[in-house]
Amino acid sequence: MIVMTTVPAGRRRGPSKGDLRERAILDTARALLARKPLADITIDELAAGAQISRSSFYFYFDSKLAVVVALLHGLAGELGRDSEPWLAGTGPDVPALRRSLTALAGLWRDQGRLIAGALAAAPGCPPIAQWRAGLREAHVARLAARITRDRAAGLAPDGPAPRVLAALIDDLRTAAFAAATDPEGLVDDLVTVELRMLYADFPVPRSDG
């Protein structure tokens, strides 16, 4: 008698026990970071939150830093998804930029400790520095391409080199949100500043909120 052990065509296996434990570690880290700084979180807390032993933790991650890097890469995916309509568009599209910045503000509100801790640690931590450099380069390159398209179409005035302007905007966002106690309260001001940097005297309507 032959017992079928494969999954039938068209059906997918659910997450493995290892996948669930890894996700539990990440969820625990995210919850802990909402309450206290990264430096105060221990491996024992991460393991306990995932309901595994300390030794089992090291089967999934070799350090607390590895957990942080995994969380950061997840954030990068969210950032790319939420900014895509703005970066792929043309012209002074106020609603698209506002939606992009609102999503970014939400990430800073919910994951501010993680992001701020990562930015502070980046200079002395190659994995986090690489994450930050990759994230910045991706945004700067896409925004510079948008600026170039708008200038070629006559939708934006000439000015600083597209990459220089895009880098200034990226740095402005990061500095503003890192210092903010109310990230969402910055959205209208950032929309105004960024559009005026890109389109000179373009009149920017304020949101109703």
Side-chain angles (χ1 to χ4, degrees), residues 11-71:
R11 295 182 60 188
R12 298 181 60 186
R13 292 184 184 276
S16 68
K17 182 183 291 186
D19 292 335
L20 293 174
R21 286 179 174 174
E22 183 173 320
R23 187 181 305 165
I25 294 169
L26 294 173
D27 288 344
T28 298
R30 195 176 291 112
L32 289 170
L33 283 163
R35 304 199 306 266
K36 59 183 180 178
L38 173 62
D40 294 343
I41 296 173
T42 66
I43 298 295
D44 287 335
E45 287 178 302
L46 293 171
Q51 298 184 328
I52 59 176
S53 66
R54 181 185 176 93
S55 60
S56 294
F57 169 90
Y58 290 106
F59 181 80
Y60 301 100
F61 296 98
D62 60 13
S63 65
K64 181 172 68 174
L65 173 61
V67 177
V68 171
V69 171
L71 287 174

Side-chain angles (χ1 to χ4, degrees), residues 44-133:
D44 287 335
E45 287 178 302
L46 293 171
Q51 298 184 328
I52 59 176
S53 66
R54 181 185 176 93
S55 60
S56 294
F57 169 90
Y58 290 106
F59 181 80
Y60 301 100
F61 296 98
D62 60 13
S63 65
K64 181 172 68 174
L65 173 61
V67 177
V68 171
V69 171
L71 287 174
L72 291 173
H73 282 293
L75 287 182
E78 292 184 56
L79 289 169
R81 180 197 65 223
D82 293 329
S83 63
E84 177 61 24
W86 162 250
L87 293 174
T90 56
D93 187 343
V94 178
L97 179 57
R98 181 170 282 123
R99 286 192 296 270
S100 176
L101 285 167
T102 298
L104 181 58
L107 278 181
W108 272 94
R109 179 199 63 217
D110 297 336
Q111 306 292 337
R113 285 187 184 274
L114 171 61
I115 301 170
L119 293 176
C125 179
I128 294 180
Q130 183 178 16
W131 167 81
R132 170 57 183 146

Side-chain angles (χ1 to χ4, degrees), residues 86-90 142 144-156:
W86 162 250
L87 293 174
T90 56
R142 292 294 307 284
R146 191 189 203 284
I147 294 168
T148 300
R149 288 197 307 274
D150 280 352
R151 289 179 179 178
L155 299 173

Side-chain angles (χ1 to χ4, degrees), residues 177 180-187:
F177 282 125
T181 55
D182 175 21
E184 274 119 345
L186 288 177
V187 170

